[in-house]
Every structure is written in structure tokens, then in C-alpha cells.
Amino acid sequence: MKDVEQQYPFTAIVGQSRMKLALILNVVNPKLGGVLIRGEKGTAKSTAVRALAGLMPDLKVINLPVSATEDRVVGALDIEHAIKTGEKKFEPGLLAAAHGHILYIDEINLLDDHIVDVLLDAAAMGINTVEREGISYTHPSRFLLVGTMNPEEGDLRPQLLDRFALSVEIGGEKDVRERALVIRRRMDFERDPASFSAQYEGEQERVLNQILQARERLDQMDVSDDMLELAAQIGIALEVEGHRSDITLIKTALTLAAWRGQASVSHEHMQEAAYLVLPHRMRRQPFEESGGIEQRLHALLRSTAMVQA
């Protein structure tokens, strides 16, 4: 039974460095606002999410199925009971169960837009409010929102994409040796999960300690006016609507600096954060692929003097 419950170690995942970084940053700073992972099937998206929970003590994955109704997600008020007794009776939903944990939605692009909006509101505010027939109930709901999807099956509306703090696009490994290593590790894990996981205990512990130290460091960090102006300059240059991207860029750069063990935000942190925060907020040009967006972003970052010659 123990082998069946054993999670694949987070530090054993081959490659996918940007996806792993995005997940870790959201654990270091739960106020970031979640991550959207886009990629073809079989690229370790679900494995990484569950492995992250295995890395952190007391962190669980709460799955939200695409077929979930609004009452199942937000919870339900028993109106008849309230009328008869004058007391509120609330049946908790998935947002209550996810408090303090990971709320994971696979194929989030197939979820009803209204429910996605509700999820993002709760993730941003840290509370969930249910209102029915003039009766309301509020409870805390702070969770790490992770959505995964295959872009070939349709995309989220731009308004919803913008609400995710970070977004990454991943694909299968192209290097032969790395791809073979993926196969080898998975076969070894399935043969003997406990023994395989034991090989990574030291690395798992090291990453956990780095996360905990980064959390402490983050509370003591500030950002210079120069970096704030740089964030504004980037937002204007990219013609990104609103200010959410500017604020998220700064928060992500701060979190990166804390994760890297540094006391202040540098140009390099801003650059690295930009590749997590901005591509899904940029307007896609006709017939432009995701790689084209990154190339355009890189060119624009160079024009704002972010990449030092």
C-alpha cells in the first residue's frame, strides 16, 4: 500500500526547468496568483503538480474536475434550513477543501468560463463568498491555483489568461539522452517507488529548506524605484493593457530574488520574471506561434536595456 501512495519526487523530474520554477515560486509566495501550464499530453504536467505536493509537508492536491458544477466548486447554502431556523447552513465546496493546499484543474480550458472566473476571484482575494436569496456566507480560501491544458484543444479567453500570474509552455524533451533519462527514471520508479524516492531524499530536503528560507527572506525584501520604473517601461513598451502585469512582474522578480538567496531585485531577476509573466499577456500577431512571442519579447526586453550586452 505504501508503494501505491508514493509520489514521484519533484527533484527527479527531468528538464522542464521553467515549469518547475513557476511552481516553486508560487509555493515561496502564495500571493503570486497561480500558474497556467500549457503543453502537449505526456509532458509531466500532472506529475509535477503532484510531486510538488509531495515535496511540501501538509500540502495536498485538490482536484477540480471539468464537469464540476458551481455549487460543487463554491459550496451551497441550505436556504430552506435558513428560513425555518434562522441559521445559516453551509455545505463546503472544493474552494473550502483547497484552503492551504493546491487546487488543480486539468484541462482548464474545457471548464466553464464563469467557474474559471470564480476560481480566479477566490485565488486573488483569498476568500470565497456564496450568496443565495439574500443570504451570504464567507470563508477563507487561500490556495495555489494550478491549471494545465493542451493548447490544441482550445485556449482560455485573454481576460482569463491575464488573471493567471505565471504561464509556461512546455514540450517533450528533444535531446536523446535527456529523453532516455525520462524513460529510465520512470521505469525505475514504477519498479520500486520507495527505493527510487529514497535516492532523492537529500535533494528533496535541500529544495524544501531553500523554499522555507526564501519565504523568510521575502518578508524582509523591498524593491528599488529603478526596478518599479523598469516594470512600467516594459509594460508600456509591450502595450500590455492595465497594470496587473506590472505588479505581477515586480512580485515575481522579488520572489525570484528571494529564491536565489539574494537581498534585492536585479535586472536579471526582472528579465527572468518577464518570461514567466508576460508571454500569455502579449497580443499574438496573425499566424504567430508561441516561440514567435518569446522572440518578440526578447527583442523588446533588449530595447529596454534589460539584456546587458
Side-chain angles (χ1 to χ4, degrees), residues 230-279:
L230 180 56
Q233 182 183 3
I234 293 168
I236 293 170
L238 294 176
E239 299 181 345
V240 178
E241 296 180 356
H243 300 291
R244 182 180 285 120
S245 65
D246 305 1
I247 296 168
T248 305
L249 180 60
I250 288 294
K251 289 167 65 176
T252 304
L254 275 165
T255 309
L256 264 168
W259 167 247
R260 303 291 188 207
Q262 288 153 355
S264 60
V265 173
S266 68
H267 281 68
E268 288 72 24
H269 299 132
M270 294 287 284
Q271 177 187 354
E272 192 173 4
Y275 287 102
L276 296 170
V277 172
L278 297 175

Side-chain angles (χ1 to χ4, degrees), residues 189-203:
F189 175 74
E190 291 179 0
R191 184 179 298 112
D192 190 342
S195 295
F196 178 84
S197 298
Q199 299 175 39
Y200 293 89
E201 286 180 357
E203 185 67 7

Side-chain angles (χ1 to χ4, degrees), residues 129-304:
T129 300
V130 183
E131 295 183 352
R132 297 287 187 276
E133 306 295 333
I135 300 173
S136 66
Y137 183 89
T138 299
H139 66 82
S141 185
R142 297 180 180 86
F143 52 86
L144 195 173
L145 178 63
V146 181
T148 57
M149 56 175 282
N150 183 348
E152 294 178 355
E153 298 173 349
D155 213 337
L156 290 173
R157 288 190 292 111
Q159 296 91 327
L160 297 177
L161 278 174
D162 179 57
R163 299 283 300 280
F164 276 94
L166 311 181
S167 177
V168 295
E169 295 215 18
I170 61 173
E173 290 292 337
K174 303 301 182 185
D175 180 84
V176 172
R177 291 185 178 180
E178 289 288 286
R179 201 171 179 112
L181 185 57
V182 171
I183 301 169
R184 169 57 62 197
R185 288 187 181 179
R186 191 70 210 184
M187 291 177 64
D188 289 348
F189 175 74
E190 291 179 0
R191 184 179 298 112
D192 190 342
S195 295
F196 178 84
S197 298
Q199 299 175 39
Y200 293 89
E201 286 180 357
E203 185 67 7
Q204 293 276 104
E205 187 70 19
R206 185 194 68 77
V207 172
L208 173 58
N209 288 336
Q210 188 176 347
I211 289 172
L212 297 178
Q213 291 168 12
R215 284 179 173 177
E216 293 181 2
R217 193 177 295 111
L218 183 62
D219 291 336
Q220 303 166 7
M221 294 180 65
D222 200 359
V223 62
S224 69
D225 288 342
D226 286 346
M227 293 299 104
L228 296 179
E229 290 177 6
L230 180 56
Q233 182 183 3
I234 293 168
I236 293 170
L238 294 176
E239 299 181 345
V240 178
E241 296 180 356
H243 300 291
R244 182 180 285 120
S245 65
D246 305 1
I247 296 168
T248 305
L249 180 60
I250 288 294
K251 289 167 65 176
T252 304
L254 275 165
T255 309
L256 264 168
W259 167 247
R260 303 291 188 207
Q262 288 153 355
S264 60
V265 173
S266 68
H267 281 68
E268 288 72 24
H269 299 132
M270 294 287 284
Q271 177 187 354
E272 192 173 4
Y275 287 102
L276 296 170
V277 172
L278 297 175
H280 64 294
R281 293 180 164 92
M282 293 173 62
R283 294 179 180 176
R284 193 183 297 271
Q285 296 178 349
F287 309 110
E288 182 177 39
E289 300 295 330
S290 59
I293 287 181
E294 287 221 357
Q295 291 174 11
R296 186 153 48 95
L297 173 61
H298 183 70
L300 287 166
L301 291 177
R302 288 187 68 88
S303 72
T304 56

